[in-house]
Amino acid sequence: MRSKSTSSFFRKTQFVNSVAIGYLFLSIVAVVLEFFNDKDLLYLVKPLVIPSLLFMYWCSTRRPNTVYLIALFIVWMANLFAHVDLLLAMIFGTLSLLVYNVLFIYLINTSLKTIAFFVLAVSAIPFALFYILLSIITYSSIQEDYMFYIAQSIILIILGAYGLANFFTKSRKSSVYLVVSIVCFMVDHVLSFILNGNFEAVGLMFFYAGHYLFCRFLVLDEKRRRHHDSFTLQAKVKN
């Protein structure tokens, strides 16, 4: 019985790894196409990247998180409208980005609910100082999208605070994934706004890397909580 379950586990792991390689391959292709500004092929490849990540997550977990699935769907929609020149499409894409970032905060808060407010506030200081200094230096280049930039910055400061607080209070593999994923999102944000899209390919690379690492964080955190719940239940039964 054990050998069958072990064999099934390894087959599932190999399949998930294959899907992850597919996601990374599509991401690299999309980044290369963005670098060479091949819009025709990019329109074909880019819509496949996030769905492949969603499929990877679905195969990696026993209980898919509905909020995360919705967040991925929203970011997929935002990516579809990102390069459309129509004003309505641009507004929809911008609002979608804000909504999915808020959903990410909800996901992290649900997973890391034991973090104290004081620890969060202290952890937010370096990120807040970074964005304040950056805003002062580059104010002239972000005037047109200033309100959206501020909203996005506040969200990323909150995400950074959660990631850093979790890393210092509970240093484990999932904590590293979370911190690095948030840093990737911040780099993408800076490249998109401050440098006016001059490094879109580099920003896209960090964007896809951030999503991959965030997905890994969620999967590992779910396994940790499942083992914790199982251990707690066994302890209650013994008592």
Side-chain angles (χ1 to χ4, degrees):
M1 189 72 180
R2 284 183 179 178
S3 61
K4 285 185 178 180
S5 62
T6 303
S7 176
S8 175
F9 171 77
F10 279 115
R11 282 199 300 270
K12 180 181 178 182
T13 302
Q14 289 175 348
F15 180 72
V16 171
N17 289 338
S18 299
V19 177
I21 291 171
Y23 169 78
L24 294 174
F25 173 75
L26 288 171
S27 301
I28 292 170
V29 171
V31 169
V32 171
L33 292 174
E34 185 70 62
F35 179 78
F36 288 104
N37 201 29
D38 191 335
K39 298 300 181 184
D40 293 333
L41 285 176
L42 190 62
Y43 289 147
L44 295 176
V45 174
K46 205 171 182 180
L48 301 176
V49 181
I50 296 300
S52 66
L53 179 67
L54 191 152
F55 185 56
M56 185 190 83
Y57 171 71
W58 186 277
C59 297
S60 303
T61 180
R62 293 183 182 179
R63 289 179 250 175
N65 190 308
T66 306
V67 176
Y68 181 58
L69 296 178
I70 293 172
L72 286 181
F73 176 75
I74 290 174
V75 76
W76 178 70
M77 292 291 292
N79 271 310
L80 289 182
F81 288 98
H83 297 287
V84 179
D85 293 331
L86 296 175
L87 179 61
L88 186 61
M90 293 173 64
I91 293 173
F92 178 80
T94 300
L95 292 176
S96 297
L97 287 174
L98 288 176
V99 171
Y100 102 82
N101 277 321
V102 171
L103 290 178
F104 270 28
I105 292 177
Y106 173 81
L107 285 168
I108 295 175
N109 182 60
T110 304
S111 300
L112 313 177
K113 56 182 77 173
T114 56
I115 296 179
F117 177 77
F118 176 76
V119 179
L120 277 177
V122 172
S123 300
I125 292 174
F127 299 103
L129 291 175
F130 169 74
Y131 271 108
I132 290 171
L133 181 61
L134 196 64
S135 300
I136 293 171
I137 295 173
T138 61
Y139 177 75
S140 59
S141 64
I142 58 174
Q143 284 184 2
E144 294 182 3
D145 302 308
Y146 188 71
M147 294 307 297
F148 178 58
Y149 168 80
I150 292 297
Q152 189 86 339
S153 299
I154 291 172
I155 290 172
L156 287 170
I157 289 169
I158 295 172
L159 286 173
Y162 269 107
L164 196 60
N166 181 58
F167 178 77
F168 284 125
T169 56
K170 299 171 184 176
S171 183
R172 47 187 172 231
K173 195 174 182 179
S174 62
S175 305
V176 176
Y177 282 144
L178 180 59
V179 171
V180 179
S181 71
I182 293 170
V183 170
C184 286
F185 290 138
M186 287 182 170
V187 172
D188 173 50
H189 179 232
V190 170
L191 291 175
S192 299
F193 278 90
I194 306 303
L195 301 178
N196 298 318
N198 293 325
F199 295 87
E200 285 188 16
V202 180
L204 193 64
M205 179 181 67
F206 279 101
F207 178 79
Y208 288 144
H211 274 286
Y212 176 78
L213 293 170
F214 190 85
C215 179
R216 294 287 297 149
F217 156 73
L218 281 183
V219 171
L220 287 177
D221 190 68
E222 185 216 319
K223 288 180 181 178
R224 176 190 62 80
R225 284 186 282 120
R226 189 171 64 244
H227 291 157
H228 178 267
D229 293 342
S230 176
F231 178 78
T232 304
L233 183 62
Q234 289 177 6
K236 286 182 179 179
V237 170
K238 288 180 181 179
N239 292 333

